[in-house]
Amino acid sequence: MSQINVRIGEVIDGFTIEEKIHVGGMAIIYRASHPDIEGRVIFKVPKIVDADDATVIVGFEMEMMILPRLSGIHVPKVYAVGDYARRPYIAMEYIDGETLYPLFEKSPIPPEQVAAIGEKVATALVDLHRQKVIHHDIKPSNIMIRKTGEAVFIDFGLSRHLEMPDLLEAEFRLPMGTAPYISPEQVRQNRGDPRSDIFSLGVLLYHLATGERPFGLPQSRQALRTRLWRDPVPPRKIRPDIPPWLQEIILRCVEPNPAKRYQTAARLAFNLQHPDAVKLTERAERLKRSNLFLQLRAWLKARALPPAEPQPYSATSDPIIVVCVDLSEGFEYLAEALFTETQRVVGSVADARLACINVMKLSAVFMHEAFDSEGRNKHVQRLVELKEWARPLGLDQGKLSFHVLEAMDIAESLLDFARTSHADQILICARGRSNLRRYLGSVSSEVVARAHCTVTVVRAPEPTATSS
């Protein structure tokens, strides 16, 4: 096993690593210090241990992209960010406070306390959504309360910035989130709706108020889908002392249809702070779940929902160009030719956004080895090589993203990525001719034949061998 190694006492970019304070499923947290920063510092590194860590690598990449762009009291201040080319890390503010997790161990708690906690979190969501970020992992362990009382979101590995490329949506085809809290939109792989965070907050409030999870602890994708049509047991059925106004708020938050939820976190925060202003509906007095007829109707309606459409990363009309970079040994001349063509396109297409992609081919027979002979993670190494290939382009981060995919069918993977990314053009290299390639077909020819957008195939003469 291997991971991004950090040693106690080591100095990294001026940060002295002092103590390991938490090991999570996707990251390791250290306490650190810096001579130019007053107080303690949190030093976070990705936890990369096996072949299934592509989500860890991409999620940490997203957090390194998003967190430095955020500001305000509801997120940690970022001091420095590393890079996979040298050492990936995020050095950030140490939050003097606790997560909400210990409070959940004590649930149920009094309704007034539920509302007070909910108002703090909803207020933090207002600030986050104004910065065009959807957290997508609202849960007790990802929310801290400062000593001064404000809620702070941590762990942005599953987040979506609406004006940045969404690496998770582009590279993975599974719901991303924590099972008890994940919204129906996330189950359907729609990551572009801020009301997903309101649903998750509703789940959190339900648990605080009742001591139970509204949708249990699902262990499969099919179990996750039940929240698209099955309503939870009304909170007042579990705890009769819950006031009608709080049940109204909670059940409105966890409506399967986002159009029936609170449309903004600001409105939710206001209602939690002013219970007298809550407009009561039949939700407030509900004491049992929907009858079998209503359940069947909701189930049929959920089954009829079309697949979620991939969400554009921005409201702008900037053209998206997918650049398929071949980094195979012996084909450096093709990578150079592709770079030249990419430079030309960037110079001629105004405001183009590039998605640089490389596919690591998996074998259907042999198990994928995550590490090379030197103990380096192959996915990380390929990501570093891809960034190094694009570095001379000199593009801003908002106009450039990097994606390392792992697939058995390279052409299918490229085509799926281009479709979900709303690509306007694909740039791809074509390798040299051979009888085998004519028989089996080539990746570039399949992409040309099946792509939904313009495809530019870059060719280059093979370098001639020289003798000394």
Side-chain angles (χ1 to χ4, degrees):
M1 295 174 70
S2 177
Q3 62 186 33
I4 305 296
N5 294 318
V6 171
R7 301 188 310 275
I8 304 301
E10 185 177 7
V11 178
I12 303 171
D13 294 341
F15 294 94
T16 301
I17 309 303
E18 298 179 345
E19 178 187 9
K20 183 187 293 185
I21 59 177
H22 178 71
V23 178
M26 301 181 76
I28 305 173
I29 308 296
Y30 296 86
R31 179 171 58 83
S33 61
H34 192 285
D36 298 330
I37 299 173
E38 184 178 352
R40 291 174 287 182
V41 174
I42 290 296
F43 197 90
K44 182 175 183 179
V45 299
K47 182 182 176 184
I48 304 173
V49 295
D50 57 36
D52 296 324
D53 285 334
T55 53
V56 173
I57 296 167
V58 176
F60 202 81
E61 179 91 349
M62 286 298 302
E63 190 163 24
M64 289 192 293
M65 289 167 59
I66 291 174
L67 199 48
R69 290 172 170 249
L70 300 179
S71 62
I73 200 167
H74 301 294
V75 295
K77 181 180 179 180
V78 174
Y79 300 122
V81 175
D83 185 87
Y84 277 113
R86 293 177 56 250
R87 201 160 201 170
Y89 70 83
I90 305 173
M92 67 185 91
E93 171 191 7
Y94 176 89
I95 305 297
D96 188 12
E98 285 191 336
T99 72
L100 289 183
Y101 191 80
L103 195 61
F104 273 71
E105 296 290 293
K106 301 175 184 177
S107 64
I109 61 176
E112 295 74 18
Q113 192 176 0
V114 174
I117 293 294
E119 189 271 331
K120 292 178 186 292
V121 179
T123 298
L125 275 180
V126 173
D127 189 47
L128 192 67
H129 291 172
R130 281 176 179 166
Q131 297 184 67
K132 300 184 179 180
V133 171
I134 308 168
H135 191 277
H136 278 317
D137 202 16
I138 300 296
K139 60 182 180 181
S141 57
N142 283 345
I143 302 168
M144 299 191 71
I145 304 297
R146 294 183 187 270
K147 294 293 186 184
T148 50
E150 298 86 1
V152 182
F153 295 122
I154 57 176
D155 196 347
F156 287 79
L158 298 181
S159 297
R160 167 86 193 267
H161 194 301
L162 295 176
E163 291 189 343
M164 297 183 71
D166 186 4
L167 307 185
L168 289 167
E169 181 183 63
E171 298 185 26
F172 302 103
R173 298 294 175 267
L174 292 171
M176 293 287 177
T178 301
Y181 301 92
I182 192 170
S183 72
E185 303 89 81
Q186 289 170 270
V187 173
R188 298 183 61 239
Q189 297 168 246
N190 175 356
R191 289 174 40 82
D193 195 331
R195 294 171 295 184
S196 287
D197 286 343
I198 292 175
F199 181 95
S200 300
L201 177 51
V203 174
L204 187 151
L205 295 176
Y206 185 107
H207 195 167
L208 282 176
T210 67
E212 299 182 15
R213 295 184 175 96
F215 304 103
L217 188 59
Q219 301 295 320
S220 67
R221 192 169 182 178
Q222 182 177 1
L224 282 175
R225 287 188 63 85
T226 60
R227 68 194 61 197
L228 273 68
W229 55 273
R230 189 72 168 105
D231 57 326
V233 174
R236 298 184 68 216
K237 175 69 174 177
I238 302 170
R239 281 193 62 202
D241 61 326
I242 292 175
W245 60 265
L246 183 55
Q247 175 161 298
E248 175 73 35
I249 290 173
I250 292 172
L251 292 183
R252 185 174 175 185
C253 286
V254 297
E255 284 281 359
N257 183 351
K260 294 183 178 181
R261 291 178 215 150
Y262 285 96
Q263 298 303 288
T264 66
R267 182 64 181 177
L268 171 58
F270 181 86
N271 276 9
L272 285 165
Q273 197 172 20
H274 303 91
D276 293 343
V278 178
K279 181 181 178 181
L280 302 182
T281 69
E282 61 83 24
R283 295 189 195 97
E285 301 298 332
R286 196 182 296 170
L287 293 177
K288 60 182 180 180
R289 303 169 87 173
S290 302
N291 59 43
L292 289 175
F293 172 75
L294 292 176
Q295 289 178 42
L296 177 61
R297 189 168 71 175
W299 178 75
L300 291 171
K301 188 174 181 180
R303 276 180 60 89
L305 288 171
E309 284 295 320
Q311 300 297 306
Y313 91 101
S314 172
T316 69
S317 57
D318 297 348
I320 297 174
I321 300 171
V322 171
V323 185
C324 308
V325 187
D326 188 342
L327 296 171
S328 304
E329 186 176 352
F331 292 93
E332 292 82 1
Y333 70 98
L334 282 179
E336 291 176 10
L338 181 64
F339 182 85
T340 300
E341 177 62 17
T342 303
Q343 273 188 318
R344 186 193 67 78
V345 171
V346 168
S348 60
V349 181
D351 297 321
R353 199 267 286 184
L354 297 187
C356 300
I357 179 173
N358 178 266
V359 182
M360 298 175 62
K361 185 172 176 60
L362 302 180
S363 170
V365 179
F366 301 104
M367 183 176 294
H368 174 58
E369 292 290 338
F371 302 97
D372 63 18
S373 58
E374 299 179 21
R376 300 174 301 182
N377 184 279
K378 292 180 180 179
H379 192 114
V380 171
Q381 287 302 114
R382 192 63 62 86
L383 181 62
V384 170
E385 292 169 12
L386 196 58
K387 289 187 173 185
E388 184 61 24
W389 177 88
R391 182 183 54 78
L393 292 172
L395 295 178
D396 293 335
Q397 188 181 59
K399 294 295 183 182
L400 188 63
S401 62
F402 303 94
H403 313 265
V404 176
L405 310 184
E406 299 177 6
M408 289 185 286
D409 188 327
I410 294 179
E412 186 66 37
S413 179
L414 293 175
L415 288 163
D416 186 50
F417 180 93
R419 179 185 61 82
T420 59
S421 299
H422 302 272
D424 297 283
Q425 184 178 359
I426 299 172
L427 300 182
I428 188 170
C429 289
R431 292 186 179 184
R433 300 176 181 177
S434 71
N435 291 331
L436 180 62
R437 295 185 68 79
R438 279 200 298 271
Y439 177 73
L440 295 177
S442 68
V443 171
S444 58
S445 63
E446 188 170 354
V447 169
V448 169
R450 296 174 51 199
H452 72 287
C453 61
T454 299
V455 179
T456 299
V457 178
V458 178
R459 293 186 180 275
E462 295 187 35
T464 57
T466 58
S467 58
S468 55

